[in-house]
Amino acid sequence: MNKKIWLSSPHLTGEEQKYVQEAFETNWVAPLGPNVNGLEKDICDFTGAKSCSVLSSGSAAIHLAMILLGVEQDDEVLCSSFTFSATANPIRYQKAIPIFVDSERDTWNMDPILLEKAILDRNSKGKKPKAILLVHLYGMPAKMKEIMAISEKYNIPIIEDAAEAMGAFYQGKHMGTFGELGVFSFNGNKIITTSGGGALVANNADYCKKATFLATQARDEAPHYQHSEIGYNYRMSNIVAGIGRGQMEVLKDRVEARRENFDYYQKAFAGLPVTFVEEAEGFFANRWLTTILTDSYNTREMIRLALEKENIESRPLWKPMHLQPVFEEFPAYTNGVSEDLFERGLCLPSGSNLTREDLDRVVAIVKEVLSK
Ligand SMILES: *Cc1c(COP(=O)(O)O)cnc(C)c1O
Protein backbone atom coordinates (compact mmCIF):
# COMPACT_ATOMS: atom_id res chain seq x y z
CA MET A 1 0.00 0.00 0.00
CA ASN A 2 1.25 3.49 -0.85
CA LYS A 3 1.97 5.89 2.00
CA LYS A 4 -1.23 7.52 3.23
CA ILE A 5 -1.68 11.15 2.27
CA TRP A 6 -4.09 12.99 4.56
CA LEU A 7 -6.31 15.91 3.70
CA SER A 8 -4.87 18.05 6.51
CA SER A 9 -2.91 16.50 9.34
CA PRO A 10 -1.42 18.12 12.45
CA HIS A 11 2.02 19.61 11.86
CA LEU A 12 3.94 20.03 15.10
CA THR A 13 7.44 21.45 15.40
CA GLY A 14 8.73 20.13 18.71
CA GLU A 15 8.78 23.70 20.04
CA GLU A 16 5.38 23.02 21.59
CA GLN A 17 7.05 20.71 24.11
CA LYS A 18 9.07 23.57 25.57
CA TYR A 19 5.86 25.23 26.78
CA VAL A 20 4.20 21.98 27.84
CA GLN A 21 7.33 20.93 29.73
CA GLU A 22 7.38 24.28 31.51
CA ALA A 23 3.78 23.72 32.58
CA PHE A 24 4.71 20.33 34.01
CA GLU A 25 7.75 21.67 35.82
CA THR A 26 5.86 24.52 37.43
CA ASN A 27 2.84 22.29 38.11
CA TRP A 28 0.58 24.61 36.09
CA VAL A 29 -1.44 21.69 34.78
CA ALA A 30 -4.84 23.01 35.77
CA PRO A 31 -6.76 25.54 33.68
CA LEU A 32 -5.32 29.04 33.86
CA GLY A 33 -1.63 29.69 34.15
CA PRO A 34 1.08 31.37 32.13
CA ASN A 35 0.49 29.51 28.85
CA VAL A 36 -3.19 30.49 28.80
CA ASN A 37 -2.33 34.16 29.25
CA GLY A 38 0.63 33.82 26.89
CA LEU A 39 -1.44 32.27 24.12
CA GLU A 40 -4.09 34.98 24.49
CA LYS A 41 -1.38 37.60 24.09
CA ASP A 42 0.16 35.78 21.10
CA ILE A 43 -3.24 35.66 19.38
CA CYS A 44 -3.85 39.37 20.02
CA ASP A 45 -0.38 40.25 18.75
CA PHE A 46 -0.79 38.21 15.58
CA THR A 47 -4.35 39.18 14.72
CA GLY A 48 -4.46 42.71 16.06
CA ALA A 49 -7.51 41.86 18.17
CA LYS A 50 -7.74 43.91 21.38
CA SER A 51 -8.73 40.98 23.59
CA CYS A 52 -8.91 37.20 23.53
CA SER A 53 -10.28 34.33 25.59
CA VAL A 54 -8.90 30.86 24.82
CA LEU A 55 -11.45 28.07 25.11
CA SER A 56 -11.90 24.32 24.79
CA SER A 57 -13.04 24.53 21.16
CA GLY A 58 -14.15 26.80 18.36
CA SER A 59 -17.66 25.50 18.91
CA ALA A 60 -17.54 26.70 22.53
CA ALA A 61 -16.38 30.10 21.26
CA ILE A 62 -19.37 30.35 18.89
CA HIS A 63 -21.72 29.30 21.69
CA LEU A 64 -20.35 31.99 24.01
CA ALA A 65 -20.58 34.54 21.18
CA MET A 66 -24.30 33.75 20.94
CA ILE A 67 -24.73 34.27 24.67
CA LEU A 68 -22.69 37.50 24.69
CA LEU A 69 -24.91 38.98 21.99
CA GLY A 70 -28.02 37.98 23.91
CA VAL A 71 -29.25 35.34 21.46
CA GLU A 72 -32.11 33.53 23.14
CA GLN A 73 -34.95 31.16 22.36
CA ASP A 74 -36.75 31.98 19.08
CA ASP A 75 -34.33 34.78 18.18
CA GLU A 76 -33.21 34.66 14.56
CA VAL A 77 -29.54 34.44 13.54
CA LEU A 78 -28.46 34.91 9.92
CA CYS A 79 -25.90 32.22 9.16
CA SER A 80 -23.77 31.13 6.20
CA SER A 81 -25.32 27.98 4.77
CA PHE A 82 -22.12 26.83 3.08
CA THR A 83 -20.10 25.75 6.14
CA PHE A 84 -19.39 23.01 8.65
CA SER A 85 -22.26 22.17 11.03
CA ALA A 86 -20.22 23.47 13.99
CA THR A 87 -20.99 27.01 12.81
CA ALA A 88 -24.75 26.57 13.09
CA ASN A 89 -25.11 24.14 16.01
CA PRO A 90 -24.62 26.76 18.76
CA ILE A 91 -27.61 28.71 17.39
CA ARG A 92 -29.66 25.68 18.33
CA TYR A 93 -27.93 25.29 21.71
CA GLN A 94 -29.67 28.59 22.46
CA LYS A 95 -32.94 27.33 20.90
CA ALA A 96 -32.66 30.20 18.45
CA ILE A 97 -33.56 29.98 14.76
CA PRO A 98 -30.87 29.80 12.06
CA ILE A 99 -31.75 31.73 8.91
CA PHE A 100 -29.45 30.36 6.25
CA VAL A 101 -27.94 32.57 3.56
CA ASP A 102 -26.32 31.14 0.43
CA SER A 103 -22.93 31.98 -1.09
CA GLU A 104 -21.66 34.14 -3.92
CA ARG A 105 -19.37 32.69 -6.59
CA ASP A 106 -16.25 34.82 -6.01
CA THR A 107 -15.26 33.79 -2.47
CA TRP A 108 -17.89 31.06 -1.86
CA ASN A 109 -18.89 32.92 1.30
CA MET A 110 -22.13 34.65 2.34
CA ASP A 111 -23.66 36.55 -0.57
CA PRO A 112 -24.17 40.20 0.53
CA ILE A 113 -27.04 40.69 -1.92
CA LEU A 114 -28.88 37.69 -0.56
CA LEU A 115 -28.06 38.74 3.00
CA GLU A 116 -29.80 42.07 2.50
CA LYS A 117 -32.75 40.35 0.83
CA ALA A 118 -33.02 37.98 3.79
CA ILE A 119 -32.96 40.85 6.30
CA LEU A 120 -35.68 42.76 4.42
CA ASP A 121 -37.82 39.63 4.18
CA ARG A 122 -37.39 38.86 7.89
CA ASN A 123 -38.26 42.50 8.69
CA SER A 124 -41.41 42.23 6.56
CA LYS A 125 -42.41 39.27 8.74
CA GLY A 126 -41.92 41.38 11.86
CA LYS A 127 -38.58 39.79 12.76
CA LYS A 128 -35.27 41.48 13.45
CA PRO A 129 -32.33 39.06 13.29
CA LYS A 130 -30.05 39.30 16.34
CA ALA A 131 -26.74 38.57 14.60
CA ILE A 132 -24.97 37.74 11.36
CA LEU A 133 -22.86 34.59 11.77
CA LEU A 134 -20.43 34.81 8.91
CA VAL A 135 -17.86 32.20 7.82
CA HIS A 136 -14.55 32.63 5.98
CA LEU A 137 -14.60 29.21 4.41
CA TYR A 138 -11.40 27.34 3.62
CA GLY A 139 -9.55 30.46 4.80
CA MET A 140 -10.88 32.76 2.05
CA PRO A 141 -12.16 36.07 3.43
CA ALA A 142 -15.80 36.92 2.80
CA LYS A 143 -16.73 40.20 1.06
CA MET A 144 -16.29 42.24 4.22
CA LYS A 145 -16.80 45.71 2.79
CA GLU A 146 -20.27 44.85 1.50
CA ILE A 147 -21.26 42.77 4.53
CA MET A 148 -20.04 45.36 7.04
CA ALA A 149 -22.09 48.02 5.23
CA ILE A 150 -25.22 45.87 5.58
CA SER A 151 -24.43 45.12 9.22
CA GLU A 152 -24.23 48.88 9.88
CA LYS A 153 -27.24 49.80 7.77
CA TYR A 154 -29.54 47.39 9.62
CA ASN A 155 -27.67 47.55 12.92
CA ILE A 156 -27.10 43.78 13.20
CA PRO A 157 -23.79 42.73 14.78
CA ILE A 158 -21.42 40.33 13.03
CA ILE A 159 -19.83 37.22 14.53
CA GLU A 160 -17.01 35.99 12.32
CA ASP A 161 -16.47 32.26 12.29
CA ALA A 162 -12.79 32.41 11.37
CA ALA A 163 -12.18 28.82 12.50
CA GLU A 164 -10.62 28.08 9.12
CA ALA A 165 -9.13 31.52 8.61
CA MET A 166 -6.20 32.02 11.00
CA GLY A 167 -3.56 33.84 8.99
CA ALA A 168 -6.07 35.20 6.45
CA PHE A 169 -6.44 38.94 5.90
CA TYR A 170 -8.78 41.36 4.18
CA GLN A 171 -7.25 44.71 3.24
CA GLY A 172 -4.42 44.03 5.66
CA LYS A 173 -6.68 43.30 8.62
CA HIS A 174 -6.88 39.81 10.13
CA MET A 175 -10.12 37.87 9.79
CA GLY A 176 -12.09 37.67 13.01
CA THR A 177 -11.30 41.29 13.93
CA PHE A 178 -13.95 43.00 11.79
CA GLY A 179 -17.10 41.91 13.62
CA GLU A 180 -18.24 42.36 17.23
CA LEU A 181 -16.76 38.94 17.90
CA GLY A 182 -14.41 36.56 16.09
CA VAL A 183 -13.86 32.84 16.52
CA PHE A 184 -10.80 30.64 15.89
CA SER A 185 -10.37 26.88 16.12
CA PHE A 186 -7.28 24.83 16.94
CA ASN A 187 -8.83 21.49 16.12
CA GLY A 188 -6.53 18.77 14.79
CA ASN A 189 -7.08 19.47 11.11
CA LYS A 190 -6.90 23.28 11.21
CA ILE A 191 -3.98 25.37 10.03
CA ILE A 192 -2.45 25.26 13.51
CA THR A 193 -3.63 22.96 16.27
CA THR A 194 -3.55 22.48 20.03
CA SER A 195 -5.00 18.97 19.54
CA GLY A 196 -8.34 20.63 20.27
CA GLY A 197 -9.20 24.16 21.30
CA GLY A 198 -10.52 27.51 20.22
CA ALA A 199 -10.53 31.21 20.91
CA LEU A 200 -12.89 34.14 21.00
CA VAL A 201 -11.55 37.58 20.09
CA ALA A 202 -13.11 41.02 20.34
CA ASN A 203 -12.12 44.63 20.13
CA ASN A 204 -14.33 45.31 23.14
CA ALA A 205 -12.41 43.73 26.02
CA ASP A 206 -15.58 43.40 28.11
CA TYR A 207 -16.75 40.61 25.81
CA CYS A 208 -13.68 38.47 26.40
CA LYS A 209 -13.73 39.14 30.11
CA LYS A 210 -17.33 37.96 30.21
CA ALA A 211 -16.51 34.96 27.99
CA THR A 212 -13.75 33.84 30.36
CA PHE A 213 -16.12 34.28 33.29
CA LEU A 214 -18.82 32.15 31.64
CA ALA A 215 -16.23 29.58 30.49
CA THR A 216 -15.09 28.99 34.07
CA GLN A 217 -18.50 28.18 35.58
CA ALA A 218 -19.57 31.80 36.11
CA ARG A 219 -18.21 32.16 39.64
CA ASP A 220 -19.07 35.41 41.37
CA GLU A 221 -16.36 37.07 43.41
CA ALA A 222 -16.70 35.48 46.82
CA PRO A 223 -14.59 33.19 49.02
CA HIS A 224 -17.22 30.46 48.64
CA TYR A 225 -18.71 29.23 45.38
CA GLN A 226 -21.44 31.66 44.48
CA HIS A 227 -23.27 31.80 41.13
CA SER A 228 -25.75 34.30 39.73
CA GLU A 229 -25.59 33.00 36.16
CA ILE A 230 -25.41 29.67 34.35
CA GLY A 231 -21.78 28.88 33.60
CA TYR A 232 -19.87 26.52 31.35
CA ASN A 233 -16.71 24.47 31.53
CA TYR A 234 -15.25 25.84 28.30
CA ARG A 235 -11.81 27.13 29.33
CA MET A 236 -8.65 25.94 27.61
CA SER A 237 -6.19 24.20 29.93
CA ASN A 238 -2.67 25.46 30.52
CA ILE A 239 -1.20 22.28 28.95
CA VAL A 240 -3.20 22.66 25.77
CA ALA A 241 -2.36 26.37 25.62
CA GLY A 242 1.33 25.38 25.72
CA ILE A 243 0.91 23.49 22.44
CA GLY A 244 -0.82 26.57 21.07
CA ARG A 245 2.09 28.83 21.99
CA GLY A 246 4.49 26.61 20.07
CA GLN A 247 2.14 26.58 17.09
CA MET A 248 1.72 30.36 17.08
CA GLU A 249 5.49 30.62 16.52
CA VAL A 250 5.08 28.89 13.14
CA LEU A 251 1.65 30.14 12.03
CA LYS A 252 3.20 32.37 9.39
CA ASP A 253 5.24 29.47 7.97
CA ARG A 254 2.18 27.25 7.94
CA VAL A 255 0.23 29.79 5.92
CA GLU A 256 3.12 30.08 3.47
CA ALA A 257 3.35 26.32 3.06
CA ARG A 258 -0.39 25.99 2.41
CA ARG A 259 -0.31 28.83 -0.09
CA GLU A 260 2.58 27.10 -1.85
CA ASN A 261 0.50 23.91 -2.09
CA PHE A 262 -2.25 25.94 -3.71
CA ASP A 263 0.15 27.51 -6.23
CA TYR A 264 1.61 24.12 -7.04
CA TYR A 265 -1.77 22.58 -7.79
CA GLN A 266 -2.91 25.60 -9.74
CA LYS A 267 0.17 25.56 -11.98
CA ALA A 268 -0.01 21.77 -12.41
CA PHE A 269 -3.64 21.89 -13.54
CA ALA A 270 -3.27 24.84 -15.90
CA GLY A 271 -5.29 24.23 -19.06
CA LEU A 272 -7.35 21.43 -17.49
CA PRO A 273 -11.09 21.76 -16.85
CA VAL A 274 -10.87 22.65 -13.14
CA THR A 275 -11.15 26.06 -11.54
CA PHE A 276 -9.83 27.58 -8.32
CA VAL A 277 -11.06 30.38 -6.07
CA GLU A 278 -8.94 33.40 -6.95
CA GLU A 279 -7.89 36.09 -4.51
CA ALA A 280 -9.36 39.40 -5.54
CA GLU A 281 -7.45 42.60 -4.73
CA GLY A 282 -7.23 43.08 -0.96
CA PHE A 283 -7.99 39.42 -0.19
CA PHE A 284 -5.28 37.28 1.39
CA ALA A 285 -6.38 33.66 1.89
CA ASN A 286 -4.50 31.23 4.13
CA ARG A 287 -5.42 28.43 1.67
CA TRP A 288 -6.20 26.14 4.59
CA LEU A 289 -7.52 23.68 2.04
CA THR A 290 -6.96 23.84 -1.69
CA THR A 291 -10.33 23.35 -3.33
CA ILE A 292 -11.08 22.67 -6.97
CA LEU A 293 -14.28 22.93 -8.91
CA THR A 294 -14.70 20.25 -11.58
CA ASP A 295 -17.18 20.21 -14.47
CA SER A 296 -19.61 17.71 -12.92
CA TYR A 297 -20.51 15.50 -10.00
CA ASN A 298 -19.20 12.51 -11.98
CA THR A 299 -15.77 14.01 -12.56
CA ARG A 300 -15.59 15.02 -8.91
CA GLU A 301 -16.38 11.48 -7.83
CA MET A 302 -13.99 9.93 -10.34
CA ILE A 303 -11.15 12.02 -8.96
CA ARG A 304 -12.08 11.35 -5.35
CA LEU A 305 -12.31 7.59 -5.88
CA ALA A 306 -9.10 7.43 -7.94
CA LEU A 307 -7.28 9.20 -5.08
CA GLU A 308 -8.88 6.95 -2.48
CA LYS A 309 -7.65 3.89 -4.39
CA GLU A 310 -4.11 5.23 -4.03
CA ASN A 311 -4.53 5.82 -0.30
CA ILE A 312 -4.98 9.56 -0.70
CA GLU A 313 -7.65 11.39 1.26
CA SER A 314 -9.74 14.06 -0.45
CA ARG A 315 -13.22 15.31 0.43
CA PRO A 316 -16.26 16.87 -1.23
CA LEU A 317 -16.87 20.46 -0.21
CA TRP A 318 -19.11 21.11 2.81
CA LYS A 319 -22.70 20.07 2.32
CA PRO A 320 -24.78 23.25 2.78
CA MET A 321 -26.66 23.53 6.06
CA HIS A 322 -30.01 24.13 4.36
CA LEU A 323 -29.69 20.63 2.84
CA GLN A 324 -28.83 18.94 6.14
CA PRO A 325 -31.63 16.84 7.64
CA VAL A 326 -31.09 18.45 11.04
CA PHE A 327 -31.55 22.00 9.67
CA GLU A 328 -33.92 21.58 6.73
CA GLU A 329 -36.94 22.91 8.65
CA PHE A 330 -35.34 26.37 9.01
CA PRO A 331 -35.69 29.28 6.57
CA ALA A 332 -33.05 29.55 3.86
CA TYR A 333 -32.35 32.24 1.27
CA THR A 334 -30.72 30.38 -1.59
CA ASN A 335 -29.44 31.00 -5.09
CA GLY A 336 -28.17 27.54 -6.04
CA VAL A 337 -24.50 28.43 -5.59
CA SER A 338 -23.61 26.32 -2.55
CA GLU A 339 -25.58 23.35 -3.91
CA ASP A 340 -23.61 23.57 -7.14
CA LEU A 341 -20.30 23.87 -5.28
CA PHE A 342 -21.18 20.89 -3.12
CA GLU A 343 -21.91 18.84 -6.20
CA ARG A 344 -18.81 19.65 -8.22
CA GLY A 345 -16.15 20.67 -5.72
CA LEU A 346 -13.36 18.74 -4.03
CA CYS A 347 -10.83 19.50 -1.28
CA LEU A 348 -7.35 18.23 -2.13
CA PRO A 349 -4.66 17.19 0.35
CA SER A 350 -3.41 20.50 1.74
CA GLY A 351 -1.32 19.90 4.86
CA SER A 352 1.67 22.13 5.49
CA ASN A 353 3.72 18.94 5.99
CA LEU A 354 3.12 17.53 2.49
CA THR A 355 6.26 16.81 0.49
CA ARG A 356 6.81 17.62 -3.16
CA GLU A 357 6.55 13.88 -3.75
CA ASP A 358 3.14 13.75 -2.05
CA LEU A 359 1.88 16.62 -4.17
CA ASP A 360 3.19 15.00 -7.33
CA ARG A 361 1.30 11.79 -6.53
CA VAL A 362 -1.93 13.76 -6.14
CA VAL A 363 -1.30 15.78 -9.29
CA ALA A 364 -0.57 12.71 -11.41
CA ILE A 365 -3.83 11.00 -10.43
CA VAL A 366 -5.99 14.08 -10.91
CA LYS A 367 -4.39 14.72 -14.30
CA GLU A 368 -4.94 11.13 -15.37
CA VAL A 369 -8.64 11.28 -14.54
CA LEU A 370 -9.07 14.63 -16.27
CA SER A 371 -7.35 13.50 -19.44
CA LYS A 372 -9.67 10.49 -19.90
C1 LIG B 1 -13.58 23.56 12.74
C2 LIG B 1 -14.68 24.51 12.55
C3 LIG B 1 -15.47 24.93 13.62
C4 LIG B 1 -15.43 24.32 14.99
O1 LIG B 1 -14.26 24.35 15.65
P1 LIG B 1 -13.98 23.24 16.78
O2 LIG B 1 -12.74 23.77 17.43
O3 LIG B 1 -13.73 21.95 16.05
O4 LIG B 1 -15.13 23.17 17.69
C5 LIG B 1 -16.43 25.90 13.40
N1 LIG B 1 -16.63 26.41 12.18
C6 LIG B 1 -15.90 26.03 11.12
C7 LIG B 1 -16.17 26.66 9.79
C8 LIG B 1 -14.92 25.04 11.26
O5 LIG B 1 -14.23 24.64 10.20
Side-chain angles (χ1 to χ4, degrees):
M1 200 64 171
N2 282 325
K3 184 188 128 203
K4 175 87 180 181
I5 299 179
W6 299 98
L7 189 69
S8 177
S9 68
H11 185 182
L12 300 177
T13 62
E15 287 302 299
E16 298 83 4
Q17 281 175 8
K18 178 177 77 191
Y19 296 103
V20 173
Q21 186 63 29
E22 211 173 271
F24 271 79
E25 277 162 10
T26 54
N27 207 27
W28 277 109
V29 175
L32 313 181
N35 284 334
V36 167
N37 300 331
L39 179 58
E40 287 176 345
K41 183 173 183 303
D42 293 344
I43 292 171
C44 287
D45 289 349
F46 190 93
T47 63
K50 294 264 171 9
S51 65
C52 176
S53 174
V54 289
L55 303 165
S56 53
S57 69
S59 303
I62 300 172
H63 188 194
L64 292 181
M66 296 284 122
I67 296 168
L68 292 170
L69 293 186
V71 173
E72 290 175 359
Q73 180 156 8
D74 297 332
D75 283 340
E76 295 192 345
V77 176
L78 297 149
C79 179
S80 301
S81 183
F82 194 41
T83 187
F84 176 40
S85 65
T87 306
N89 284 335
I91 300 172
R92 294 300 295 149
Y93 299 167
Q94 292 302 98
K95 299 191 164 57
I97 311 296
I99 308 291
F100 294 112
V101 180
D102 214 325
S103 298
E104 33 79 11
R105 291 236 171 239
D106 300 328
T107 72
W108 297 1
N109 291 308
M110 188 182 277
D111 180 351
I113 296 167
L114 213 47
L115 171 65
E116 184 160 31
K117 249 169 102 174
I119 293 170
L120 291 172
D121 191 54
R122 299 326 291 169
N123 288 350
S124 78
K125 294 180 165 65
K127 309 276 190 186
K128 184 175 187 296
K130 265 269 168 76
I132 299 167
L133 178 49
L134 172 71
V135 181
H136 308 297
L137 210 62
Y138 303 118
M140 174 59 73
K143 291 190 174 175
M144 290 315 294
K145 187 171 131 243
E146 291 84 347
I147 290 171
M148 299 275 288
I150 294 167
S151 158
E152 277 158 33
K153 182 170 170 192
Y154 297 97
N155 197 20
I156 307 175
I158 293 174
I159 301 167
E160 290 176 81
D161 178 351
E164 302 178 2
M166 274 221 102
F169 295 82
Y170 176 84
Q171 293 180 349
K173 201 165 135 88
H174 198 283
M175 307 327 292
T177 66
F178 290 83
E180 280 297 281
L181 293 156
V183 169
F184 300 121
S185 166
F186 308 114
N187 196 9
N189 63 356
K190 299 286 154 65
I191 197 152
I192 57 168
T193 184
T194 60
S195 74
L200 190 72
V201 292
N203 293 322
N204 177 350
D206 290 342
Y207 280 131
C208 288
K209 212 173 143 204
K210 184 77 194 268
T212 300
F213 167 77
L214 292 172
T216 47
Q217 307 287 23
R219 273 187 72 186
D220 296 341
E221 267 181 59
H224 56 278
Y225 276 70
Q226 163 120 349
H227 306 273
S228 313
E229 280 182 77
I230 295 294
Y232 300 85
N233 184 4
Y234 277 174
R235 192 69 162 144
M236 183 183 279
S237 84
N238 195 52
I239 294 285
V240 165
I243 305 174
R245 294 198 73 189
Q247 288 273 284
M248 283 303 292
E249 291 182 7
V250 294
L251 174 54
K252 222 166 157 251
D253 305 332
R254 296 296 185 260
V255 173
E256 251 169 56
R258 300 232 179 200
R259 286 176 60 87
E260 277 169 20
N261 291 339
F262 175 89
D263 289 341
Y264 196 75
Y265 284 128
Q266 194 174 36
K267 284 199 184 87
F269 300 152
L272 294 171
V274 291
T275 57
F276 294 82
V277 188
E278 302 282 352
E279 278 168 332
E281 169 122 31
F283 289 69
F284 183 87
N286 66 11
R287 300 295 186 189
W288 170 55
L289 297 183
T290 293
T291 55
I292 55 171
L293 205 56
T294 68
D295 63 357
S296 67
Y297 172 83
N298 279 341
T299 307
R300 199 283 303 283
E301 275 304 278
M302 266 161 51
I303 295 172
R304 190 182 67 77
L305 293 169
L307 290 169
E308 189 175 85
K309 229 176 94 198
E310 297 297 324
N311 212 17
I312 299 170
E313 185 184 27
S314 68
R315 194 178 299 155
L317 304 185
W318 297 120
K319 179 171 181 171
M321 291 306 110
H322 70 271
L323 300 181
Q324 298 285 358
V326 70
F327 292 125
E328 66 192 3
E329 73 194 88
F330 298 109
Y333 294 82
T334 60
N335 53 16
V337 172
S338 63
E339 292 180 35
D340 179 49
L341 297 173
F342 171 57
E343 199 165 279
R344 297 193 285 131
L346 190 69
C347 303
L348 296 177
S350 303
S352 47
N353 47 7
L354 291 179
T355 63
R356 183 56 60 92
E357 219 170 55
D358 294 335
L359 290 170
D360 283 338
R361 267 176 66 199
V362 178
V363 164
I365 293 162
V366 175
K367 272 184 158 171
E368 199 193 317
V369 174
L370 289 174
S371 62
K372 267 184 197 151

